[in-house]
Amino acid sequence: MEFRIGQEMPLIKKLEILTDAAKYDVSCTSSGSRRSGDGTGIGNTVKAGICHSFSADGRCISLLKILLTNECIYDCKYCVNRCSNDVARASFTPEEVCRLTIEFYRRNYIEGLFLSSGIWQDPTFTMGMIYRTVLKLRKVYRFRGYIHVKAIPGADPEVVRLTGFLVDRMSVNLELPTAEGLSRLAPNKHRKTILTPMRQIQNGIVSSREEVALYRHAPSFVPAGQSTQMIIGATPEHDYQILSVAESLYRKFDLKRVFYSAFVRVNEDRELPALPGGPPLLREHRLYQADWLLRFYGFSADELLSEERPDFNLLLDPKADWAIRHLEQFPVEVNRASYERLLRVPGIGVKSARRIIQSRRSCALDFCHLKKMGIVLKRAQYFITCSGKMLYPVRMQEDYLARQLIDSRERLPFEADRVTYRQLSLFDDRRFVMDRQNFVRQAWT
Amino acid sequence: MEETILNCQDSAEGILTAVYRAYEWKLPRDRVSIRTGAVDLCLFASCRDVETRPDLAKKVSDTIKRRFGRQVWEDLSFAMAACDERKGTAVLRTIDLGLSGRIRGRLTQGLGEEWIRIVFELGRRVRNEYHRQQEFLRFRQAQEGYLFALTEPKEDVTAFLMPHFSDRLPMENFVIVDSLRGIAGVHPAGRPWVLLRLNEEEKGRMAGAAGHTSQEEAEAAELFRCFCRTVSIRERENPGLQRQHLPLRFRGTMTEFDPPG
Ligand code: SF4
């Protein structure tokens, strides 16, 4: 294999520049598509997706996540690639992207390609280059693995449509939760130009599903669905606003995933908040947990937050937080409760709820059974009974339970905040939460 | 009555043959154990060696599929690949419970029963290891052009990995070597895969293959290392989290963790 294709810049240098420029996009999943190999090409996809490595920041590496170019005519304030920045620029040829993808794939480094791009000349030209690249990868290299591309807002819908038939997932980044935030930090972008391709992709997916149902061999359009990303903490929105936006994206645009990206300050700009404590990782983590509750646990944004209580308690996961504020709904009898009610118990997840329903058909379950099934009794014990009995007699009282559930060993996706966890008593906690949120907001104003 | 120990080969076929014999010989199932490892002196039990018979094993697997469905067959297959002394006995008792008709719903989810719970737990362990290997296994390209992967899986998962990789890489010649068990899955381009038990000489040859990679291999590896290094966000760095997802035991065979140079 020839890696250098008569270029001025060595491929490895390009790869470095264009990986560095792509890394702030958080999505890297390869899930949602099931396609088996065809016996002669290369690649397949599995429904749940596969992670292949984890980088030093603990994030999963599943796809070759690169930009086609980091040239950009726009000037989004939060982005390293903005045209007013003086950074090294590079562009891949479609051929180079294909070779990298194939050579990485056959060694089992990756599940496929995640291709995004700065705005090169204009949106339609950029989308056209993305299209040419994935067309080559699918048709010339016969690649059947996972492909995720960005749909470029403002590009000719026809190019977006053609690309949609070649890829598994498409995403258009919402970037910021509100239109005001967008106009402040991304002056070249507009809510409308972002939502237009999102709607187009949604409609494309629906009609393609109908066609596939009719004609089995009709080409499928974006089979793994579309996703989007919001930057958290660059603008002053509350969690409640963010989660409500996510909820309506799921409901109205039928999105597969909404990703939250804790703001990392890469540019000096007075429009950007200072965030001396680093990116708001704990907040991002709580949003992901809440997002999970929306998608799989039947919760709505209004149940979790409100105008009066617009931000998550940073010390408790959103489900435990909800449970201790709704003690009237507990305890739940494990041997009788419906699946939906079991799901609302802290410490019981989707899998364990299903297992409970299955197993209790053949015998009455006790705590010992539950433990062996993988239910986290440390959390669940306060909220359940087995044949009418609790594990230990407990006080069903909000403050007491909150103290039990604040978990100093909670596995957070980062370490910095853990010390604070252990040091705080519950009463300080509330203040801490307030402080922290105010702090974020002050930093911004 | 006395305990009986059926001593069989450590493979799905071996275990299923023993299950067949337990019924054929009309041994009371609650007093039979199936052992796949070396058996120590049986003082208080009678020991019988069971020779593997693929045809009998197939009869049992057909019965399992017919009576309990494909899902249960899959669960039992995973359990039989576990590195655990209890697996043979657990599979036998689970089948016996299934035939008794006492378990409603999917047999392998009747977790109220101790032996079914063991099957479940073993199956989960093997599935985890299988997923981990799907993630972290790395192929390298030998000078001759074929791809090889050296693995050290906790459970015996090569037979599960082969269909997965054959489907993705149908036109590649590749080998997956389980260095701990001396087993290799071999896939010739465009043809069905086979599983081999390696003899000493072959084991040595496969272990040495790591030293004979191509120039292209070095370049691809360097590119991937560059990618992994660069994609990490400095402000979020967190080696603890990285280790939680990607335990150190896998890193020895992973290209991106090769020592530099
Ligand atoms: S459009 Fe904005 S976010 Fe995208 S690369 Fe250009 S400057 Fe960055």
Side-chain angles (χ1 to χ4, degrees), chain B residues 71-110:
Chain B
Q71 269 294 342
V72 169
W73 165 243
E74 199 177 277
D75 292 339
L76 292 174
S77 309
F78 276 111
M80 286 187 285
C83 185
D84 193 295
E85 252 306 304
R86 298 167 300 170
K87 64 183 177 182
T89 313
V91 166
L92 173 69
R93 307 272 165 108
T94 299
I95 293 173
D96 203 47
L97 277 163
L99 294 175
S100 76
R102 270 175 38 212
I103 308 296
R104 268 174 287 164
R106 181 160 140 198
L107 172 59
T108 36
Q109 289 190 339

Side-chain angles (χ1 to χ4, degrees), chain A residues 29-38 42-50 52 62-63 105 110-113 138 143-148 166-169 220 223-224, chain B residues 134 164 167-169:
Chain A
T29 56
S30 52
S31 57
S33 257
R34 185 189 293 134
R35 181 170 54 244
S36 51
D38 62 359
I42 170 168
N44 65 16
T45 58
V46 301
K47 191 83 184 166
I50 298 180
H52 284 281
S62 180
L63 303 172
Y105 189 87
I110 53 169
E111 278 301 283
L113 174 67
R138 287 285 193 229
F143 181 67
R144 292 173 61 81
Y146 200 89
I147 301 181
H148 174 173
L166 298 171
V167 302
D168 294 281
R169 172 164 289 181
S220 57
Chain B
Q134 282 184 328
H164 172 75
D167 189 61
R168 330 198 110 182
L169 307 172

Side-chain angles (χ1 to χ4, degrees), chain A residues 358-414:
Chain A
Q358 272 280 353
S359 314
R360 73 186 183 190
R361 286 193 203 151
S362 20
C363 68
L365 301 177
D366 58 29
F367 285 98
C368 195
H369 293 139
L370 296 184
K371 192 163 178 206
K372 294 208 168 126
M373 274 180 222
I375 282 121
V376 190
L377 282 184
K378 224 173 99 226
R379 304 176 75 67
Q381 58 167 317
Y382 308 105
F383 303 98
I384 52 175
T385 55
C386 285
S387 311
K389 283 199 257 342
M390 296 194 92
L391 186 56
Y392 307 111
V394 284
R395 264 182 291 160
M396 290 296 263
Q397 193 197 30
E398 195 177 323
D399 277 359
Y400 169 76
L401 290 178
R403 222 170 293 138
Q404 303 307 310
L405 289 170
I406 288 178
D407 182 359
S408 59
R409 277 158 311 174
E410 184 186 4
R411 281 195 161 188
L412 292 169
F414 44 85

Side-chain angles (χ1 to χ4, degrees), chain A residues 72 74 76 79 81-82 118-119 189:
Chain A
C72 191
Y74 287 176
C76 307
C79 174
N81 307 317
R82 62 183 188 176
I119 312 296
K189 293 183 176 169

Side-chain angles (χ1 to χ4, degrees), chain B residues 234-260:
Chain B
R234 190 171 37 85
E235 290 85 344
R236 304 182 64 125
E237 250 166 47
N238 185 348
L241 182 65
Q242 186 190 28
R243 201 162 43 237
Q244 185 181 313
H245 290 304
L246 173 37
L248 298 173
R249 74 174 167 106
F250 294 101
R251 300 191 187 178
T253 51
M254 293 174 75
T255 316
E256 60 270 44
F257 295 102
D258 281 353

